[in-house]
Amino acid sequence: MKFYTLIIAFLLSSTYGSSQQVLGTWYGQLSLQGFKLNLVFHIAKDGEIFSSTLDSPDQRAFGIKTSKTIIHDTKIFIEILNLGAEFNGEYNNELISGIFQQNGQTFPLILSKDSTVIQTKQKNQEPKKPYPYREIDVTFPNKDAGISLSGTLTLPEKTGKYSAVILITGSGAQDRNEEILGHKPFLIIADYLTRNGIAVLRFDDRGFGKSTGSFANATTFDFAKDVESAFAFLSKQKEIDKKKIGLIGHSEGGLIAPIVASKNKKIDFIVLLAAPALRGDKLLLLQQEMIAKSMGEDENEIKKMLAINQKVFAEILNLTKENKSEIEKKVTEIIQYSMDNDTAFSLPHNVTKSKFIESQLRQLFNPWIVAFIKYDPLPALQKVKCPVLALNGTEDLQVPAGVNLDLIKKSLNEAGNLNVKTKSFEKMNHLFQECNKCTLEEYGELNQSFSPLVLEEISTWIKSVLYKK
């Protein structure tokens, strides 16, 4: 049996004689429920002190500082605290074999000094410089959080004041282009809208790219505060018409946009791209079922997995500060019982049952996960009074189109907001790529990063809203 809770050893700090063998650059690939993510570690030594940095080429993130690098005998431990990640590995026969964990998710990872083990395909949909518009690097503060956020503001070439949008990334540490597997969907959206006369602000998530702060313990509500700071910054720019600023949120960004718009009546419109409308626990169960089926998992195993996770999520829904130890104990018992009573259960190499349970608890009780499981998007949606466009792909495995689009429209309409348009696009996935197999694995294989049909829909709708003003 496999656990799908979500889509991330005691070592001494002494050195050993052959430690020079682990110095240098190491390449590897993570298999993330159907697709590959390339990672590159650079390990160095200054005197008796080891250090390292991490690259994620598919996300164009380079030189990520690690918080701890420990090497003892043949064992290697690297911690990237800001990303909630760590790598435990062992050097043997010119390879480093181990486990990569991020926010409790556990993935086998083998590193090699052979750079050909990673592959990054060049996508041809990216716009080429020089652009026919202005592109400005900007930095703005979230004063309450004590952090600075870095991004890019694109402005049409002609003089005057422009309508504008703020792009809001999905879950996971994302840069301003929301880059994944060589795709840069936010760059493409920003380019298209700016060419059509709409200014665009996009920015790196806190603790990622050039933005400061910590990503590891931030929740959806923290990211909403960052968007509020982006709005405050954008509305003060002389080139921007502050009465015509909207939000475009993708995936988790589609949760954040209504949170911000429900509180700020100055938001002129919102566009929701693959936005969840189900409460977090229900969405995750549906997501897990669809992904498992797309990967060809056995139906009986899927039912077992869903039954276990449903019990776990039910406990987390009741979590409070006062009963955390009690809920952790109950969740531990659920996982332990499931492991002990399933002969098909297997663990990754070098991971014990206790370490597995520990990693699951870290993931499940991570602040972001707890907040996501508990969060019901509908109350915030019902407070949104501005025009709303909600789009989905029919083949979306992460935020299924039918149930979520229907709930968004019903919720808004029942609250009195009739200026709502929903639309699903045939044969498109969660990234709004026109897909063939429509699996997660295909994300990186497809050359298209974002469908032109969806770009046109977004631009046309925004202009129709602005024209009616």
Side-chain angles (χ1 to χ4, degrees):
M1 191 196 84
K2 296 182 180 179
F3 281 79
Y4 293 86
T5 47
L6 274 178
I7 329 196
I8 300 202
F10 179 74
L11 298 172
L12 300 175
S13 58
S14 58
T15 60
Y16 67 106
S18 58
S19 65
Q20 297 296 328
Q21 293 173 297
V22 302
L23 300 181
T25 299
W26 296 85
Y27 304 86
Q29 280 189 333
L30 289 179
S31 295
L32 304 173
Q33 291 189 356
F35 61 88
K36 307 285 188 184
L37 184 68
N38 295 312
L39 294 180
V40 182
F41 287 91
H42 305 278
I43 302 176
K45 184 182 179 185
D46 183 6
E48 297 299 307
I49 305 299
F50 289 95
S51 63
S52 60
T53 59
L54 172 65
D55 300 338
S56 179
D58 297 316
Q59 296 174 295
R60 288 295 188 271
F62 300 94
I64 300 170
K65 293 182 180 179
T66 62
S67 48
K68 189 180 295 183
T69 302
I70 301 174
I71 299 175
H72 176 65
D73 293 333
T74 59
K75 298 185 183 298
I76 298 97
F77 173 74
I78 297 174
E79 178 186 62
I80 313 102
L81 191 60
N82 194 41
L83 299 182
E86 63 182 47
F87 174 67
N88 274 290
E90 184 167 3
Y91 176 82
N92 183 40
N93 196 25
E94 305 302 320
L95 298 174
I96 299 176
S97 302
I99 298 297
F100 184 89
Q101 295 184 20
Q102 185 168 27
N103 293 331
Q105 294 177 271
T106 303
F107 309 102
L109 177 63
I110 297 176
L111 302 176
S112 168
K113 287 195 171 182
D114 181 2
S115 63
T116 61
V117 302
I118 70 170
Q119 299 175 355
T120 302
K121 296 181 180 179
Q122 186 66 36
K123 312 302 178 184
N124 66 9
Q125 199 179 359
E126 294 178 23
K128 301 294 189 295
K129 292 184 177 182
Y131 304 138
Y133 51 79
R134 286 178 285 167
E135 183 181 50
I136 306 168
D137 288 334
V138 298
T139 301
F140 54 92
N142 177 336
K143 293 181 180 178
D144 290 341
I147 63 175
S148 64
L149 300 159
S150 294
T152 300
L153 176 62
T154 51
L155 297 162
E157 275 295 338
K158 64 181 183 180
T159 59
K161 288 185 177 293
Y162 318 114
S163 56
V165 298
I166 300 168
L167 303 187
I168 312 171
T169 63
S171 60
Q174 301 278 340
D175 70 5
R176 66 194 69 186
N177 294 323
E178 204 188 38
E179 183 160 354
I180 182 69
L181 300 172
H183 296 290
K184 300 178 182 178
F186 275 17
L187 169 62
I188 291 165
I189 294 172
D191 176 79
Y192 188 91
L193 292 180
T194 309
R195 289 172 189 265
N196 280 272
I198 301 169
V200 181
L201 173 63
R202 61 193 197 274
F203 61 96
D204 301 331
D205 289 348
R206 60 166 67 190
F208 197 73
K210 295 183 179 179
S211 292
T212 66
S214 173
F215 180 88
N217 293 313
T219 69
T220 299
F221 306 106
D222 295 315
F223 300 132
K225 293 291 186 181
D226 294 343
V227 175
E228 291 173 3
S229 299
F231 178 86
F233 165 79
L234 192 60
S235 62
K236 293 177 182 178
Q237 304 309 302
K238 65 180 188 300
E239 302 93 344
I240 302 302
D241 184 343
K242 63 182 180 180
K243 294 182 179 180
K244 294 182 178 181
I245 300 176
L247 308 176
I248 299 179
H250 175 233
S251 197
E252 185 192 7
L255 292 178
I256 294 169
I259 292 174
V260 177
S262 68
K263 298 176 182 179
N264 185 351
K265 303 309 176 185
K266 295 181 180 179
I267 301 296
D268 198 43
F269 58 87
I270 61 174
V271 178
L272 308 179
L273 302 175
L278 293 168
R279 193 177 65 196
D281 62 315
K282 296 178 180 179
L283 177 67
L284 288 177
L285 290 171
L286 182 57
Q287 179 187 102
Q288 291 161 1
E289 180 180 13
M290 294 186 70
I291 291 174
K293 285 181 178 179
S294 76
M295 296 172 67
E297 298 290 343
D298 180 78
E299 287 286 344
N300 290 328
E301 293 301 310
I302 294 175
K303 289 179 181 179
K304 289 180 188 178
M305 175 265 293
L306 292 175
I308 294 166
N309 286 340
Q310 188 170 27
K311 291 178 181 177
V312 169
F313 294 161
E315 294 296 340
I316 291 175
L317 287 171
N318 295 319
L319 178 67
T320 65
K321 290 182 180 179
E322 292 73 24
N323 68 6
K324 184 177 179 182
S325 59
E326 177 187 347
I327 297 298
E328 284 184 345
K329 182 179 179 182
K330 289 181 179 180
V331 171
T332 299
E333 290 172 352
I334 293 169
I335 298 174
Q336 184 70 61
Y337 179 84
S338 303
M339 294 166 64
D340 293 342
N341 289 274
D342 194 325
T343 56
F345 179 79
S346 61
L347 288 168
H349 179 63
N350 286 341
V351 176
T352 64
K353 285 187 176 182
S354 62
K355 287 292 282 184
F356 177 79
I357 292 174
E358 180 185 334
S359 72
Q360 293 296 301
L361 292 178
R362 279 204 305 272
Q363 178 189 3
L364 289 164
F365 291 91
N366 172 276
W368 183 89
I369 300 294
V370 172
F372 186 86
I373 287 173
K374 289 186 171 188
Y375 185 63
D376 181 355
L378 298 187
L381 272 169
Q382 290 167 347
K383 295 177 183 177
V384 173
K385 302 305 177 184
C386 65
V388 178
L389 173 66
L391 308 176
N392 256 100
T394 60
E395 306 305 314
D396 192 331
L397 299 176
Q398 292 161 264
V399 183
V403 62
N404 286 285
L405 283 182
D406 289 347
L407 271 176
I408 288 171
K409 187 168 188 176
K410 180 181 178 182
S411 177
L412 287 163
N413 288 170
E414 288 181 349
N417 188 346
L418 302 181
N419 198 345
V420 179
K421 180 179 181 180
T422 61
K423 184 174 181 177
S424 58
F425 289 84
E426 295 294 325
K427 295 292 286 184
M428 289 192 197
N429 59 27
H430 186 64
L431 302 185
F432 291 91
Q433 297 168 302
E434 296 166 24
C435 54
N436 300 310
K437 296 180 289 185
C438 301
T439 60
L440 298 188
E441 183 178 12
E442 194 182 33
Y443 288 177
E445 297 173 0
L446 293 170
N447 195 50
Q448 184 185 80
S449 296
F450 199 90
S451 170
L453 297 176
V454 183
L455 292 172
E456 183 180 5
E457 179 71 34
I458 295 169
S459 177
T460 301
W461 182 84
I462 291 175
K463 288 180 178 180
S464 74
V465 169
L466 298 173
Y467 181 75
K468 290 179 181 178
K469 297 287 181 182

